[in-house]
Amino acid sequence: MKSIHFFLIWLLVYSPSAFAYKVADIPGPLKENAHAVVRRDYTLLHINSPSSATLKAVFAITVLDKKGEEAARFSRYYSPQQTMAALTGKVYDAMGVLLTTLKMKDFGDVSAVDAIYSFGESRVKFFNPAYTNFPYTIEFSFEQTYNGIIAFPNWTPVNFDEISVEKSEFVVIHPKGMSLRMRQLNLASEAEVTQSYQDGTIQHRWLAENVPAFKSEPLSGDKRRYLPLVEVSPVAFEYGKVPGSMENWNEFGKWIYQLNVGRDQLPPEAVAEVLKLVEGAASDEEKARRIYAYMQSRSRYVSIQFGIGGFQSFPAEETHRLGYGDCKALTMYTKSLMQAAGVDAIYAVVYAGPRAKFYTDPAFPSQAFNHVILCLPFDGDTTWLECTSRDMPFGFLGDFTDDRYALLATENGGKLVKTTRYDQPDNLRALRAEVTISPVGAGDALLNYHWSGLQMDNRLSSVWFRSQTEHRNQLIKSFPIPKFELKEVDHSIRQVGAPALDERIHLLLPSYAAVTGKRLFIPLNLENRMTTPPVSKDRKNGFELAMAWVDRDTVVYHLPEGYQVEAQPAPVRIETPFGHYSSHVLVEGNTVTYLREVTASDGYFPADQYEAFFQFRKQMADADAAKLVLVKPE
Amino acid sequence: MYDTTLMHELNPMCMKLEFNRARYLFTLALVLTVMKTWAQKEPMKFGEIDAEHLKMTSTPLDSSADAVYLGCYGFTHYESRAEQTILVTDYHFRVKILKSTAVDEFATVALQEYVGGNTTEEVGNIKAASYNLENGEVVTQKMNKDAVMEERLNKRTNLVRFNIPGVKEGSVIEFTYTLRSDFIFSLRTWYFQKKHPVMASEYRIVIPNVIKWQYYPKGANYPFAVRELKTDGPVGSLGWPTSNGRWVKENLEGMKDEPFLTTTTNYLSRIEFDIFSINVPGRMTQNMSASWENVGKRLMEEEDFEGYLKKCDFLKPKVDSLVAGLTNDLDKAKAINLYVQNRLTWNEEHYLLTKNEPRTVWMVKKGSAQEINLLMCAAMRFASLNVYPVITSTRSNGYFERPDLNQADYVLVGAVINETTHFFDATRPYATPGYIPSDCVNYFAAKYLGLQTMPVIVKPQPGSKQSAFAILNLRDDSHLEGNITTTYSGYLANQFRSKMKDTESNDRKTEIEEELNGEVSEYATEFLDSLLSPAVKEKIKVDVSSGDLNIVGDLIYITPLLHMKEAENPFLRETRVCPVEFPYPFEHTATITINYPEGFTPNEIPKPAIIKLPENGGQFMYQVQNFGNTIQVMSSVSIKKTDFNPEEYTYLRQLYDLILQKQAEPVVLKKS
């Protein structure tokens, strides 16, 4: 049984002579393909009680060339809940000779507000090294104090492409008898656990050593799939002076519920307005639709983060009055409106983000959330509402919060429930177009689109957030056709059943077909050409196709008089595990119909299949470039 | 609200203002204090909303606008505070939200205050409200005072923000605030025109007559509805007579951003101000910077300018060794430029102020544009070159037309060598000496020659060319393969080298493969790091089997320009409000030879085309010829002048249409 007195570690860490950071000491393999080498990354999380902890860290990195500079940038959030107690830096030359010392005041200090619509008290201390004598080593030491705990930072020893790691250590110390939840991903060895002779505290230590530089590969998905990670979460905790437990989801859900209890009260005039609004509605769903539209018409999203307000909603009354709020306030407000009309609605926390589907793990109860949505538990048809958007169709989540666990915060505690999943047939893009080609190669095109599921998601943002003129300009950019003139753009969002977007676009394409003396060359695929994915040779990790989808294009070309088809592409049919592709052309008199269908699968595929996937996309790209050749008989 | 013109009013390129102002603060204390007076009633009163504005659903100024300014009002005057004179401006804005897309932009208002140093700005008296029509009733919601949040954004700037409650589609919103500033000679530009249409905009000013000042109407030519300037008698016991100005414009369209434009700010309808001098009888006379001579005089006295140049003696031995053996002055200048740009890294800052002493900058090898270029200027003087600092404004900062240092934000080096003027800059590590950053080629500039300081024009250098030379062979097995060498020169060489600085050649190869829809089997560059070489070359070996090469039956269609085609028509919009301003003239040429095997005959060859823009503004030439078993293609696009007025826009757009059309025409070969 090995037992280290961990005060010894402190001595080592804080004694400057112990680490000279000579560049010559870096093992050869760590310099390969590396722009910088993390010499020492030491994080000590010392938990004293459910509401107090300190985090001490030393981070030293040798920057070998200009491209390694980014990894040597320091940036750390702080707030009244997590103060910055100490912060220093040291710069060494290649020989390990100390060049400069940085004090707290040498670090930049800016508000963490990243958008004009966000309000909060978080700030960032930062330092961007810009020394020009490579290689050099920079070491940062800082200490943060927790005033209230709800979550701890993850340990991720490998963070950047083309940066190697000599040594990275994560140490967690907690009082004996205090339970913590911990787990590790993609790490070969388990934590070393020791107990202090002095005070009986328990220490867990993880170590990553001599990790060569890696380069991330295209489509490799979230880094949690392949990079080491240790997560630590409190079980008993206290935040904003409110104690709680993450023993299980039920307990944590209860804490959230309690924080927000009574915040769903509306002023009487608002209740009266809601009752008037839902008069004559045949079902709860109809009531909910009307209320959602009402909320959307009078509210806007503003991000607000202050202290416990990170978890506590503004009272619904206030949101009603102000007409703005953050995700908590707007969800609470919508919940209160629903309740006023007798519609059941539950406040639900979720981790939002297109790549964050797995961040909430049923087996790891923790503060794994960053967003709030509303759950309407209709019989056999649970409906979810995103309350921060003025334009989202009723019951649509999109890839921001789809297909993941959300925690319902109810009177009886928390319950983990999966949100809506969009399957292949849901994620549809269908185009039916008619294009009349003139003898000089101009096209007059009428396009009818139908979008649903996640394919609608992207399209919606271009329809919404712009004025009509800007929407037209955006379309002009998104079409891969060199030049055209938009005559008419129109769209409608289907409000019955599953949401869908229909778009109608009238275009003039003055030089759609290339014309030579006697021939016309008509590109058959109007505006939906496949591109090839990035080349990725000698792949190490698997690849992720995040969304399954279907594209159906039918383009009817009306040909000018006097031409006949000289050449047309043969039908193409490709079947692979990644999806199917088919395209073919039907010629009937002066009408040519181009039919194309792609069904793409989602999933995580092994590295050795990437080449096959690349070839599939390449074959599609080639087939999509096909042209119809018309000739005028002499 | 994040309207750039509003932010501009509140974001006065802080450091350079201090540079201009600080030292005059105390001498003028007390002297200027006047009461604010204006006989005319204010154009808008907070809370008095026209019911028609609540009912309106669109504006005739732009049927697609999502918001319209119903009124903008500003009033600038002097006040005294704690024995000092301050400049006070009251602002009042009223906006109609026509569509929900404008809600976010207008309901959160962000204002900036400059707070570094002894001279500061302060935003105060903020009031805001929204008005909505609900069931025929006007519902007013006033913002609570505690909704205003102020925070430190960085060392010099505070951000003051507030959310106006109850804003939705159809709302009328308004807000007022007062900006108190210690920068008493900095009269901000008033923008009548903004990104969104403006129904009425009024600006007033009361200035004591001891200050000599001038105003300049600028930008889009909307007529003044009111334009008056009159003198009032002294007010109060300490006061002076004042000149009172009032300007009103009505019904201005919104100004949208357009490609190939310096900045919309250059074209917004506005008035700018200049203060020439202050003359208090019996007490003092002080000339301000409103003449080139005064600009020169100010810079002569300035530690950060003339003073800076004098502290560079330590460079002399280095310069002597650098130019040893060189006889040509231009070669000497280039050698020094290259040396300075290799040694010093630019910190991306470029205001008219130096932070570090010359020796410090030289030792830490990092500095601002002004620090780096003043060092280079001093170094060139040691080589007995006829050089001087050149003060200018970057394209995105607008034109530097008048002797107002507030409008300048960049320092270059000018040199007269063999009776030709050259400009140098040492901030970009990839640039060929003599080709200054294109963002600094902004026409108006001043050469600093002490009291003889005078305007100078900075025009782009000629010689920016991208020429591709390809020899391709059509193989029997339906491949087109061969070598392509592309030569980039002038600003296009800078652009290419800048890009390659951050791009691995493998990534560049992949990028070409995507454009080409084919394979690049070999990739190499030449002269990438030889910055004195006039051109950089990129050599690739390609293999194309689809896309631009189609084989159907016994016919082969080849679009011969491959990835050397113009990618797109940059001028998508049908009309243009502002002129087109290319940063420099340029030429793109491609010469392609395609050898094809025996057994094929040319079936169709695209016809030649030549199109010229009026006044020799540019041209396109395209020619395809067949000689034996070889097809020769020549394509040349050249833009010879940089500025095209909106009337010429159609020609430019048509030129690009024709280019794209011709370059897409295939050559047809037939198997015999």
Side-chain angles (χ1 to χ4, degrees):
Chain A
M1 175 85 193
K2 203 163 90 177
S3 185
I4 305 169
H5 198 296
F6 48 73
F7 293 102
L8 193 65
I9 296 176
W10 270 118
L11 277 177
L12 284 175
V13 168
Y14 278 103
S15 127
S17 57
F19 300 96
Y21 301 130
K22 267 191 211 151
V23 170
D25 294 344
I26 301 173
L30 295 188
K31 289 188 197 160
E32 278 170 32
N33 307 316
H35 299 295
V37 183
V38 175
R39 307 299 297 279
R40 181 158 179 77
D41 179 1
Y42 180 87
T43 306
L44 171 72
L45 176 63
H46 196 138
I47 304 162
N48 305 311
S49 75
S51 64
S52 122
T54 53
L55 185 100
K56 297 183 184 186
V58 178
F59 179 80
I61 185 166
T62 298
V63 182
L64 299 174
D65 57 45
K66 179 92 180 141
K67 283 182 179 161
E69 218 169 54
E70 195 193 335
R73 286 183 186 165
F74 179 85
S75 146
R76 191 87 197 168
Y77 288 89
Y78 70 97
S79 65
Q81 291 74 45
Q82 202 177 335
T83 55
M84 185 65 77
L87 175 59
T88 57
K90 283 178 183 143
V91 185
Y92 300 89
D93 72 4
M95 301 305 293
V97 175
L98 181 65
L99 296 176
T100 320
T101 306
L102 305 169
K103 299 203 177 65
M104 179 99 85
K105 66 170 175 49
D106 299 320
F107 286 74
D109 185 322
V110 292
S111 164
V113 166
D114 56 349
I116 209 78
Y117 315 118
S118 333
F119 296 82
E121 59 199 343
S122 280
R123 298 188 66 82
V124 181
K125 291 272 184 204
F126 69 93
F127 188 82
N128 297 333
Y131 303 95
T132 43
N133 285 335
F134 300 108
Y136 65 86
T137 301
I138 187 160
E139 181 198 77
F140 300 106
S141 307
F142 67 92
E143 186 176 328
Q144 288 194 281
T145 310
Y146 286 79
N147 307 313
I149 291 173
I150 193 157
F152 296 116
N154 294 337
W155 178 61
T156 51
V158 183
N159 286 305
F160 289 94
D161 274 31
E162 298 176 277
I163 306 293
S164 60
V165 179
E166 194 173 338
K167 189 171 191 184
S168 179
E169 256 181 293
F170 183 43
V171 177
V172 178
I173 296 172
H174 61 86
K176 195 182 166 200
M178 178 192 223
S179 63
L180 279 184
R181 184 166 282 113
M182 305 181 190
R183 67 163 170 180
Q184 61 181 60
L185 293 173
N186 310 311
L187 257 175
S189 56
E190 295 286 321
E192 175 192 273
V193 183
T194 52
Q195 187 171 5
S196 159
Y197 288 138
Q198 272 198 338
D199 56 6
T201 52
I202 312 287
Q203 172 185 298
H204 305 254
R205 177 173 173 263
W206 288 266
L207 183 66
E209 272 183 306
N210 297 320
V211 185
F214 83 103
K215 187 161 186 171
S216 60
E217 297 161 317
L219 302 178
S220 40
D222 190 83
K223 286 186 172 170
R224 285 182 190 219
R225 282 196 185 276
Y226 56 93
L227 290 183
L229 169 92
V230 172
E231 274 183 285
V232 179
S233 173
V235 175
F237 68 96
E238 189 182 312
Y239 191 77
K241 305 250 185 283
V242 187
S245 162
M246 293 184 203
E247 185 63 44
N248 49 49
W249 291 112
N250 185 280
E251 287 290 324
F252 188 43
K254 201 178 281 171
W255 185 80
I256 294 171
Y257 179 81
Q258 290 295 346
L259 267 187
N260 291 291
V261 85
R263 296 191 161 245
D264 54 357
Q265 298 305 306
L266 285 176
E269 66 273 16
V271 175
E273 209 168 331
V274 171
L275 291 176
K276 206 173 134 205
L277 189 71
V278 299
E279 242 168 53
S283 64
D284 276 3
E285 191 201 300
E286 179 53 34
K287 285 182 188 172
R289 280 180 188 275
R290 290 187 196 177
I291 290 170
Y292 186 63
Y294 166 79
M295 183 280 294
Q296 288 181 311
S297 75
R298 67 190 311 285
S299 311
R300 68 190 186 92
Y301 170 74
V302 170
S303 156
I304 303 164
Q305 300 293 333
F306 289 96
I308 191 73
F311 298 91
Q312 191 172 49
S313 157
F314 273 27
E317 253 174 306
E318 204 170 326
T319 312
H320 179 78
R321 182 175 64 81
L322 295 173
Y324 64 81
D326 64 4
C327 61
K328 298 178 289 293
L330 294 171
T331 304
M332 184 58 74
Y333 174 52
T334 313
K335 173 179 147 79
S336 69
L337 294 171
M338 294 287 173
Q339 284 167 350
V343 177
D344 249 1
I346 310 168
Y347 186 88
V349 292
V350 67
Y351 202 110
R355 288 170 186 279
K357 277 188 183 183
F358 315 109
Y359 283 19
T360 310
D361 179 350
F364 197 81
S366 58
Q367 196 325 82
F369 308 103
N370 65 356
H371 189 52
V372 184
I373 53 179
L374 194 65
C375 174
L376 305 179
F378 294 142
D379 264 354
D381 184 20
T382 302
T383 299
W384 300 88
L385 299 180
E386 170 61 60
C387 301
T388 61
S389 161
R390 265 193 303 272
D391 311 275
M392 202 69 138
F394 178 85
F396 189 66
L397 293 180
D399 69 357
F400 196 51
T401 50
D402 72 320
D403 192 24
R404 71 198 69 195
Y405 286 102
L407 182 65
L408 304 182
T410 77
E411 207 172 351
N412 303 321
K415 194 182 164 201
L416 221 47
V417 180
K418 263 272 174 95
T419 59
T420 315
R421 179 185 152 82
Y422 301 97
D423 289 313
Q424 192 178 56
D426 299 324
N427 303 327
L428 173 70
R429 170 205 190 275
L431 168 67
R432 231 201 111 74
E434 301 244 353
V435 187
T436 306
I437 306 282
S438 79
V440 293
D444 183 316
L446 202 59
L447 289 73
N448 283 289
Y449 291 98
H450 178 82
W451 309 86
S452 66
L454 298 175
Q455 294 228 62
M456 170 178 74
D457 209 5
N458 290 332
R459 195 69 176 191
L460 277 174
S461 53
S462 78
V463 174
W464 291 337
F465 299 115
R466 297 184 180 94
S467 67
Q468 206 185 343
T469 325
E470 282 170 44
H471 180 209
R472 286 162 64 106
N473 289 332
Q474 189 60 28
L475 280 173
I476 287 175
K477 280 185 208 145
S478 68
F479 274 80
I481 297 165
K483 190 210 167 183
F484 63 85
E485 199 176 312
L486 276 174
K487 295 304 278 185
E488 216 183 316
V489 186
D490 193 18
H491 77 270
S492 64
I493 293 172
R494 199 164 65 182
Q495 297 291 0
V496 193
L501 169 69
D502 290 305
E503 257 185 304
R504 192 171 165 280
I505 297 176
H506 183 194
L507 293 176
L508 295 182
L509 304 153
S511 49
Y512 185 66
V515 190
T516 59
K518 57 184 177 182
R519 287 184 176 85
L520 265 180
F521 299 82
I522 303 172
L524 286 160
N525 188 324
L526 190 61
E527 52 77 79
N528 194 20
R529 288 169 213 175
M530 184 56 73
T531 53
T532 49
V535 178
S536 176
K537 295 207 166 86
D538 307 318
R539 231 186 132 88
K540 289 183 182 62
N541 294 302
F543 59 103
E544 183 181 345
L545 303 177
M547 170 175 79
W549 48 269
V550 181
D551 273 8
R552 279 191 204 103
D553 288 34
T554 304
V555 187
V556 179
Y557 293 96
H558 300 286
L559 307 180
E561 291 294 328
Y563 281 97
Q564 49 183 246
V565 173
E566 183 181 38
Q568 70 183 76
V572 179
R573 196 171 177 83
I574 315 165
E575 308 243 346
T576 72
F578 318 104
H580 309 279
Y581 174 95
S582 68
S583 65
H584 67 282
V585 181
L586 297 172
V587 182
E588 287 166 287
N590 259 356
T591 303
V592 172
T593 307
Y594 171 76
L595 295 145
R596 174 184 185 269
E597 184 177 90
V598 183
T599 58
S601 315
D602 60 352
Y604 191 73
F605 298 89
D608 61 8
Q609 288 186 24
Y610 191 85
E611 181 56 26
F613 170 66
F614 181 88
Q615 285 308 327
F616 171 51
R617 293 273 298 263
K618 173 95 172 57
Q619 285 172 324
M620 287 198 276
D622 288 349
D624 283 344
K627 291 189 182 88
L628 183 74
V629 184
L630 303 180
V631 67
K632 210 182 259 175
E634 282 160 59
Chain B
M1 176 156 67
Y2 212 63
D3 187 324
T4 49
T5 58
L6 184 63
M7 291 301 283
H8 189 91
E9 283 158 18
L10 293 161
N11 182 13
M13 291 299 285
C14 309
M15 296 209 59
K16 89 190 175 202
L17 272 177
E18 186 171 50
F19 162 73
N20 260 350
R21 305 296 170 217
R23 63 166 61 171
Y24 299 100
L25 190 69
F26 294 97
T27 50
L28 293 175
L30 278 173
V31 178
L32 292 178
T33 306
V34 292
M35 304 291 285
K36 80 181 211 188
T37 54
W38 196 275
Q40 217 97 31
K41 195 164 127 257
E42 288 171 1
M44 290 187 286
K45 194 156 180 224
F46 194 88
E48 283 179 11
I49 302 296
D50 186 342
E52 286 308 305
H53 288 155
L54 284 164
K55 289 182 201 147
M56 75 190 276
T57 54
S58 68
T59 168
L61 293 169
D62 175 4
S63 61
S64 71
D66 58 6
V68 55
Y69 285 88
L70 301 169
C72 304
Y73 173 59
F75 172 38
T76 298
H77 55 278
Y78 290 89
E79 280 181 9
S80 86
R81 184 175 64 175
E83 310 243 308
Q84 289 204 355
T85 301
I86 55 169
L87 187 65
V88 178
T89 304
D90 299 319
Y91 293 92
H92 189 173
F93 296 93
R94 190 176 287 168
V95 182
K96 167 74 181 186
I97 308 294
L98 295 164
K99 289 180 186 147
S100 64
T101 47
V103 170
D104 282 336
E105 196 174 344
F106 285 94
T108 301
V109 181
L111 308 170
Q112 289 187 11
E113 299 166 328
Y114 172 65
V115 289
N118 295 326
T119 38
T120 62
E121 294 174 326
E122 186 192 322
V123 171
N125 293 349
I126 300 174
K127 276 201 288 183
S130 70
Y131 309 89
N132 290 291
L133 211 51
E134 278 170 29
N135 308 319
E137 300 274 306
V138 179
V139 177
T140 303
Q141 266 190 279
K142 288 194 175 146
M143 182 180 71
N144 288 342
K145 282 265 179 293
D146 59 12
V148 178
M149 281 178 252
E150 179 160 355
E151 69 201 299
R152 187 55 78 94
L153 194 65
N154 55 43
K155 273 184 194 160
R156 295 170 217 122
T157 320
N158 269 1
L159 190 61
V160 176
R161 291 183 300 167
F162 51 90
N163 287 304
I164 305 174
V167 185
K168 54 193 179 187
E169 186 169 310
S171 303
V172 167
I173 61 169
E174 70 175 333
F175 60 93
T176 62
Y177 62 92
T178 303
L179 183 76
R180 293 167 205 284
S181 168
D182 289 336
F183 303 109
I184 55 173
F185 299 119
S186 177
L187 295 177
R188 302 231 178 131
T189 300
W190 178 261
Y191 291 89
F192 295 100
Q193 195 178 17
K194 290 172 177 294
K195 205 175 102 190
H196 290 88
V198 175
M199 282 168 60
S201 179
E202 172 162 348
Y203 187 61
R204 298 182 191 177
I205 194 163
V206 173
I207 299 188
N209 273 353
V210 292
I211 294 175
K212 293 285 163 263
W213 62 285
Q214 178 65 278
Y215 75 93
Y216 309 87
K218 286 278 171 84
N221 195 19
Y222 287 94
F224 283 101
V226 177
R227 179 182 191 169
E228 55 178 59
L229 192 57
K230 53 187 183 191
T231 305
D232 262 7
V235 179
S237 56
L238 273 170
W240 302 94
T242 57
S243 55
N244 300 3
R246 179 170 172 242
W247 302 269
V248 182
K249 288 195 176 194
E250 287 168 350
N251 300 322
L252 302 101
E253 288 173 37
M255 177 80 83
K256 300 269 171 12
D257 207 8
E258 296 179 317
F260 292 107
L261 183 66
T262 45
T263 166
T264 48
T265 317
N266 283 337
Y267 299 97
L268 289 173
S269 180
R270 65 193 187 276
I271 38 176
E272 294 180 357
F273 299 89
D274 236 355
I275 289 183
F276 299 108
S277 67
I278 168 152
N279 183 358
V280 181
R283 292 177 77 168
M284 61 170 295
T285 298
Q286 177 70 58
N287 283 336
M288 305 305 290
S289 74
S291 75
W292 293 112
E293 187 189 330
N294 282 340
V295 165
K297 204 170 154 196
R298 288 285 302 283
L299 293 173
M300 278 169 77
E301 294 162 2
E302 196 54 66
E303 275 299 289
D304 284 334
F305 215 86
E306 184 62 48
Y308 206 80
L309 291 165
K310 286 182 180 145
K311 289 183 205 157
C312 298
D313 286 352
F314 63 93
L315 290 172
K316 196 168 184 317
K318 185 74 229 171
V319 173
D320 290 344
S321 70
L322 268 177
V323 299
L326 295 177
T327 49
N328 180 322
D329 278 354
L330 192 56
D331 288 345
K332 288 181 190 173
K334 285 179 176 176
I336 293 170
N337 188 346
L338 203 58
Y339 181 77
V340 175
Q341 86 183 36
N342 282 341
R343 177 174 176 104
L344 302 183
T345 305
W346 178 43
N347 62 15
E348 306 201 356
E349 293 177 358
H350 58 87
Y351 34 72
L352 291 195
L353 184 79
T354 56
K355 265 197 282 194
N356 293 314
E357 292 289 301
R359 191 178 282 276
T360 315
V361 171
W362 194 252
M363 293 320 290
V364 303
K365 302 181 181 179
K366 195 174 174 80
S368 70
Q370 167 151 345
E371 288 164 345
I372 291 174
N373 286 337
L374 286 180
L375 272 162
M376 174 164 73
C377 187
M380 287 180 174
R381 282 184 180 174
F382 291 129
S384 309
L385 297 172
N386 179 11
V387 292
Y388 41 79
V390 170
I391 300 138
T392 186
S393 162
T394 53
R395 281 166 70 95
S396 48
N397 192 49
Y399 292 131
F400 177 49
E401 289 171 85
R402 288 179 298 105
D404 172 9
L405 280 174
N406 289 317
Q407 186 47 45
D409 72 340
Y410 207 96
V411 173
L412 298 163
V413 176
V416 178
I417 297 170
N418 303 331
E419 288 164 26
T420 310
T421 303
H422 297 262
F423 296 101
F424 297 100
D425 173 88
T427 60
R428 318 295 151 109
Y430 48 78
T432 300
Y435 284 88
I436 60 169
S438 56
D439 190 41
C440 301
V441 183
N442 200 16
Y443 207 77
F444 301 100
K447 49 179 169 182
Y448 168 70
L449 299 169
L451 294 177
Q452 277 80 49
T453 296
M454 62 177 84
V456 63
I457 303 299
V458 180
K459 281 195 277 193
Q461 291 267 74
S464 293
K465 198 168 168 181
Q466 173 184 329
S467 48
F469 187 78
I471 296 181
L472 305 167
N473 298 302
L474 181 67
R475 302 285 181 210
D476 287 333
D477 56 354
S478 68
H479 283 247
L480 195 58
E481 54 178 56
N483 296 300
I484 304 174
T485 300
T486 308
T487 308
Y488 304 88
S489 56
Y491 293 105
L492 293 171
N494 283 3
Q495 196 183 62
F496 180 73
R497 284 180 171 128
S498 157
K499 177 199 177 100
M500 292 309 289
K501 205 170 70 69
D502 303 313
T503 313
E504 306 267 348
S505 58
N506 234 354
D507 294 337
R508 170 68 185 148
K509 203 178 107 177
T510 310
E511 185 184 71
I512 301 174
E513 284 180 335
E514 274 163 20
E515 288 167 16
L516 182 71
N517 201 7
E519 203 181 310
V520 175
S521 56
E522 286 169 26
Y523 180 89
T525 55
E526 267 177 35
F527 310 115
L528 191 59
D529 300 319
S530 326
L531 300 186
L532 287 177
S533 144
V536 51
K537 285 184 194 296
E538 184 177 44
K539 295 182 162 185
I540 55 173
K541 187 167 183 179
V542 301
D543 187 342
V544 177
S545 56
S546 65
D548 289 320
L549 176 71
N550 271 286
I551 298 169
V552 187
D554 54 2
L555 292 171
I556 295 181
Y557 313 97
I558 304 168
T559 318
L561 247 64
L562 306 179
H563 69 297
M564 296 164 273
K565 295 193 261 300
E566 293 298 315
E568 55 168 16
N569 187 340
F571 306 109
L572 294 168
R573 292 187 206 167
E574 287 146 44
T575 55
R576 175 101 177 179
V577 179
C578 299
V580 175
E581 300 168 313
F582 287 106
Y584 43 80
F586 61 89
E587 192 175 351
H588 291 170
T589 66
T591 310
I592 296 153
T593 304
I594 299 177
N595 300 310
Y596 57 88
E598 292 294 330
F600 285 93
T601 47
N603 187 280
E604 213 171 344
I605 300 287
K607 290 190 180 64
I610 296 184
I611 178 172
K612 287 187 180 182
L613 289 175
E615 293 171 36
N616 202 20
Q619 67 168 25
F620 170 59
M621 285 197 296
Y622 191 74
Q623 194 175 38
V624 184
Q625 287 170 291
N626 187 75
F627 304 104
N629 272 13
T630 298
I631 290 164
Q632 282 278 359
V633 184
M634 199 281 300
S635 168
S636 156
V637 177
S638 62
I639 298 294
K640 293 179 181 162
K641 66 173 192 173
T642 50
D643 294 359
F644 293 83
N645 61 40
E647 292 73 47
E648 295 172 297
Y649 177 72
T650 320
Y651 300 122
L652 205 53
R653 193 166 178 252
Q654 282 170 355
L655 174 77
Y656 269 91
D657 281 346
L658 183 79
I659 295 169
L660 293 176
Q661 198 183 316
K662 287 308 285 183
Q663 292 186 338
E665 281 182 18
V667 172
V668 183
L669 298 177
K670 195 169 192 227
K671 207 171 218 164
S672 40

